[in-house]
């Protein structure tokens, strides 16, 4: 007790003396330590978007935190084999999906059971993954890092690898006041990167916001009208999802027997329900559905028209008038596809801020 008190007292004494002269050892030590002074990054919410769900006050993005998060996103050391980064399954040119991969492809070529969804507008979602297994963006990366078929690594190992890499200590120090290479800071940095990944610059957006005299042509407008009447009850609002879990009538694939939301809630009434996906950038995010079973948008529309199967949890919207599915003519399918392509935001897919190199 007494010693501790003395040490504290001396520390106080050194500091108070030094501030008079500026010449004492204690003062110089403080002065030499680089001041923590990161540059804040503004999160601009597009005019046609809802409020953020991500609480920025708990993890305010900074240039330094973003830079660290981006490096971590493209870092193979997050996986046991050293080569599978987040960016491997979430490729920017395809709005951060795993292009042409039906289900995710992780360490040593191991296959998962689900298709990699786009990482875009994450700061507006309530829950994450096809079944909502993660309810906070900061927690999401724990799943792929520790999944045996994805990155198959432990946080202890990842943190040790980062600490041993001379690039990381200065990046962590610049991004976080305590400068620690720990789980919390790593997850916060990844979130800062993902929070900034807002995609809101498609033709549809410019048209909605009345920007630059952009308008939709006749075919696109016809598609939009169809979409509003046949699809927007689930793919709702400007995010093109109401974020609910629904069974849209896909026949169950016995290979995976994926029960969707039931795996999280434990409820039979949630069997085969999956989160309604956003359709932003849908032109780029093929293949489609939770298990990537459809290659093209035409395949998807053929399914809605005539491929649906009934089951106990099928969404009631899809059995209207006692008839299964959403009847669509070939012309209507073309119009819908033309409209869906107005949701492509190439500026986002090629935005240098998010690019690996
Ligand atoms: C092996 C491929 C793979 C790797 C590596 C991977 N992911 Fe994913 N990611 C997926 C798949 C597949 C899903 C959907 C999982 C599910 O629904 O069960 C997903 C889901 C997500 C989601 C949720 C998206 C949404 O719409 O809810 C985010 C965010 C995400 N990943 C970020 C990351 C980050 C960050 C990393 C690196 C730490 C990472 N992913 C590594 C394949 C991968
Ligand atoms: C009853 C709600 C509902 C309606 C109505 C609906 N969808 Fe969906 N849609 C979903 C759900 C749920 C999924 C994901 C299903 C899964 O993967 O198991 C989905 C998936 C999709 C996908 C795949 C997206 C991806 O990233 O994999 C596309 C494209 C799509 N829907 C387009 C449409 C279109 C176009 C319409 C109107 C013709 C429509 N949907 C009507 C609920 C709905």
């Amino acid at each position: 007790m007494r010693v501790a008190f003395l040490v504290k007292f001396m520390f106080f004494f050194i500091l108070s003396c030094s501030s008079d002269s500026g010449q004492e050892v204690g003062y110089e030590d403080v002065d030499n330590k680089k001041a923590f002074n990161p540059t804040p990054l503004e999160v601009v919410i597009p005019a046609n978007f809802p409020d953020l769900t991500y609480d920025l006050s708990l993890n305010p993005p900074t240039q330094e935190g973003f830079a660290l998060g981006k490096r971590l996103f493209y870092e193979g050391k997050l996986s046991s084999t050293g080569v599978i980064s987040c960016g491997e399954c979430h490729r920017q040119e395809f709005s951060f999906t795993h292009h042409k991969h039906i289900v995710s492809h992780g360490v040593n070529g191991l296959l998962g059971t689900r298709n990699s969804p786009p990482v875009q507008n994450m700061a507006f979602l309530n829950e994450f993954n096809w079944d909502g297994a993660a309810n906070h963006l900061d927690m999401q990366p724990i799943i792929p890092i520790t999944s045996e078929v994805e990155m198959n690594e432990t946080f202890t190992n990842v943190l040790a690898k980062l600490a041993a890499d001379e690039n990381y200590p200065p990046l962590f120090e610049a991004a976080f006041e305590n400068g620690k290479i720990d789980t919390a800071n790593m997850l916060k940095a990844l979130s800062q990167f993902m929070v900034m990944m807002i995609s809101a610059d498609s033709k549809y957006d410019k048209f909605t916001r009345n920007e630059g005299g952009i308008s939709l042509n006749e075919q696109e407008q016809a598609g939009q009208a169809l979409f509003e009447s046949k699809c927007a009850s689930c793919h709702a609002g400007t995010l093109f999802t109401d974020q609910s879990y629904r069974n849209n009538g896909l026949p169950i694939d016995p290979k995976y027997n994926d029960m969707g939301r039931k795996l999280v809630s434990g409820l039979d009434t949630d069997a085969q329900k999956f989160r309604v996906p956003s359709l932003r950038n849908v032109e780029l995010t093929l293949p489609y559905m939770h298990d990537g079973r459809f290659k093209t948008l035409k395949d998807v529309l053929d399914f809605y028209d005539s491929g649906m199967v009934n089951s106990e949890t099928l969404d009631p919207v899809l059995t209207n008038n006692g008839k299964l599915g959403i009847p669509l003519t070939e012309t209507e399918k073309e119009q819908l596809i033309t409209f869906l392509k107005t949701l492509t935001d190439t500026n986002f897919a090629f935005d240098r801020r998010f690019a690996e190199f």
Side-chain angles (χ1 to χ4, degrees), residues 79-151:
S79 67
S80 59
T81 53
V83 290
I84 304 291
S85 68
C86 313
E88 174 71 18
C89 298
H90 298 287
R91 304 241 173 131
Q92 182 175 15
E93 339 54 302
F94 308 107
S95 205
F96 294 96
T97 56
H98 208 178
H99 189 57
K100 296 212 169 135
H101 285 254
I102 295 174
V103 290
S104 69
H105 214 143
V107 289
N108 302 320
L110 289 171
L111 295 178
T113 58
R114 291 189 180 155
N115 181 250
S116 149
V119 180
Q120 59 184 12
N121 303 326
M122 290 294 115
F124 300 90
L125 296 188
N126 302 312
E127 291 170 332
F128 303 87
N129 295 317
W130 286 101
D131 54 10
N135 60 12
H136 196 288
L137 184 60
D138 295 1
M139 299 300 133
Q140 168 61 30
I142 298 172
I143 299 176
I145 291 172
T146 56
S147 154
E148 279 172 26
V149 294
E150 295 191 336
M151 302 170 104

Side-chain angles (χ1 to χ4, degrees), residues 165-224:
D165 178 331
E166 59 180 14
N167 292 305
Y168 281 100
L171 290 173
F172 274 90
E173 269 160 36
F176 296 103
E177 189 150 25
N178 67 18
K180 283 190 190 153
I181 300 185
D182 62 10
T183 307
N185 285 344
M186 184 178 140
L187 295 174
K188 279 185 172 174
L190 279 167
S191 282
Q192 288 190 28
F193 178 57
M194 293 191 282
V195 160
M196 297 306 294
M197 291 160 71
I198 296 177
S199 173
D201 215 12
S202 63
K203 180 174 186 184
Y204 167 84
D205 287 302
K206 289 176 189 150
F207 165 71
T208 314
R209 292 193 299 258
N210 230 335
E211 273 169 27
I214 301 276
S215 57
L216 300 188
N217 65 33
E218 228 173 90
Q219 173 100 338
E220 291 163 344
Q221 280 180 32
Q224 185 180 26

